[in-house]
Amino acid sequence: MGASRVPAGTVPRMDALARAAAEHPDAPALVVDGRAITYAELDTAANGVADLIEASGTLGDHAVAFWGDRNPEAVAAIWGVPRAGVAAVPVDPRTPPGLAMETTRAAGVRGLWTPPSEGFDRLVARGSGLRHEGSGEYVVFTSGSEGSPKGVRLTRGNVEASVAASQVRLGHGHGDAWLCVLPLF
């Protein structure tokens, strides 16, 4: 695996979730169906995802797909899959299985992560005391308006630049909330 593990309390390079969990552990990171999930819980759940992926076996440089539903488990996967040292590939949950297999394989996917049946709380309970520092890469698919959807790799630098530009343009204070109006895939 390409991921390195660092002691708890150490914030991996440019991991915005780990930083937020260290600075504001009890602040709400997500509010879903009236339930507030703190940054500390989300950070621990992301480590739980990384732990599960690492325990599943060596994937090398291959990517791991997951269904991009709007739920806490998918948000934990967005952060946790790259922490396992592989690129995260969120997939539209409405995609027919055959097309999902075809497009994700073309993007280098060799694994599919699904949340444990116990859900988000199980991910929090499973999270290790070690933080992961992984690839920080994602593969997102184009709309396919000119044929088949194509996977586009977003590097850690792409994501960091997007976050920085958003913060400069929109700002972000302690009490601010961000409304996720786009699908997670």
Side-chain angles (χ1 to χ4, degrees), residues 36-181:
I37 295 170
T38 68
Y39 280 107
E41 290 173 312
L42 182 58
D43 185 52
T44 301
N47 281 338
V49 171
D51 290 344
L52 285 167
I53 290 171
E54 287 182 348
S56 71
T58 302
L59 293 170
D61 291 333
H62 298 294
V64 171
F66 60 93
W67 298 111
D69 293 307
R70 282 193 193 170
N71 59 40
E73 295 85 3
V75 175
I78 286 171
W79 292 97
V81 172
R83 286 181 180 183
V86 295
V89 184
V91 178
D92 181 348
R94 299 170 301 175
T95 304
L99 179 59
M101 285 180 59
E102 180 183 319
T103 56
T104 57
R105 281 187 178 156
V109 168
R110 295 297 179 266
L112 173 65
W113 182 82
T114 58
S117 59
E118 301 90 354
F120 185 81
D121 292 330
R122 178 66 178 136
L123 290 174
V124 173
R126 182 169 179 85
S128 69
L130 295 175
R131 294 199 188 277
H132 301 257
E133 182 175 350
S135 66
E137 292 189 350
Y138 301 88
V139 176
V140 295
F141 291 98
T142 63
S143 65
S145 59
E146 295 182 14
S148 297
K150 293 173 184 54
V152 177
R153 187 169 296 265
L154 300 176
T155 66
R156 178 185 293 232
N158 296 140
V159 175
E160 290 169 358
S162 177
V163 169
S166 177
Q167 287 181 336
V168 166
R169 182 71 176 142
L170 302 175
H172 183 74
H174 179 65
D176 290 342
W178 177 69
L179 178 63
C180 180
V181 295

